[in-house]
Amino acid sequence: MKWFNGVIDWRPVLALIVFWFGSVIAEEQGVNSLSDFQWCNRLILVEEANDPDQRVEALRQHAAGIDDRDIVWFVLGNQGIQSNLEEPGRDLQRDVRKTLRAQPENVSVVLIGKDGGIKQRSRVLDVAGIFALIDTMPMRQREMR
């Protein structure tokens, strides 16, 4: 066993363990802003004041494709925000509202990539079209390999 200590440098192993525990603790604490999803998830933000349930149902019908593409979605309506997250916190809801309200007047759907950049702005929710766009992105191409 003495030879084993000389072969392995334990510092990187220890750093990896600390990083892993830190990510587990951060995950348990939840997310507070849209930037917390960066490099982990793509985001679909939908503003639908009149009939948000129709948009939510359209997204739920595509649950398998949404899961496969690491998408988290938020639908903002008059009664609050619905999401495929269990319970988006108050700070996260505020960030979703702020991002949607910052868009041009005719935009009600925003696609944000894993890099945190806005990839598409649209008037209508076209889930199949969003999937097609995501599937052309280099990061998604690597994920599919």
Side-chain angles (χ1 to χ4, degrees):
M1 194 68 171
K2 188 175 184 180
W3 65 271
F4 192 69
N5 285 334
V7 174
I8 293 182
D9 183 4
W10 290 101
R11 290 175 292 185
V13 174
L14 182 60
L16 184 60
I17 291 169
V18 169
F19 174 75
W20 181 79
F21 275 117
S23 65
V24 168
I25 291 168
E27 191 174 302
E28 288 176 0
Q29 291 176 349
V31 290
N32 296 315
S33 71
L34 293 177
S35 63
D36 292 340
F37 293 100
Q38 190 170 1
W39 304 115
C40 297
N41 297 97
R42 295 172 182 92
L43 304 173
I44 298 175
L45 311 180
V46 182
E47 185 170 27
E48 183 58 53
N50 297 328
D51 190 13
D53 292 336
Q54 180 182 3
R55 305 298 183 248
V56 168
E57 185 57 33
L59 290 162
R60 286 186 176 149
Q61 287 177 357
H62 291 90
I66 285 172
D67 289 344
D68 186 46
R69 291 167 181 83
D70 301 324
I71 296 172
V72 174
W73 54 262
F74 301 92
V75 177
L76 173 62
N78 288 335
Q79 303 300 317
I81 293 181
Q82 297 181 59
S83 175
N84 59 339
L85 291 180
E86 284 188 28
E87 187 76 29
R90 189 171 293 149
D91 291 339
L92 181 56
Q93 290 184 35
R94 186 177 319 118
D95 204 19
V96 169
R97 284 186 178 87
K98 178 181 171 188
T99 302
L100 283 168
R101 301 274 156 72
Q103 303 308 310
E105 196 170 303
N106 61 348
V107 171
S108 61
V109 179
V110 177
L111 171 64
I112 300 175
K114 283 188 174 183
D115 64 356
I118 294 178
K119 305 302 179 188
Q120 182 183 56
R121 293 179 175 100
S122 176
R123 290 182 187 183
V124 297
L125 176 61
D126 175 11
V127 180
I130 289 172
F131 286 175
L133 175 61
I134 289 171
D135 290 347
T136 65
M137 296 177 182
M139 191 176 298
R140 174 67 178 151
Q141 292 287 315
R142 286 190 300 273
E143 291 170 359
M144 292 189 297
R145 287 186 201 149

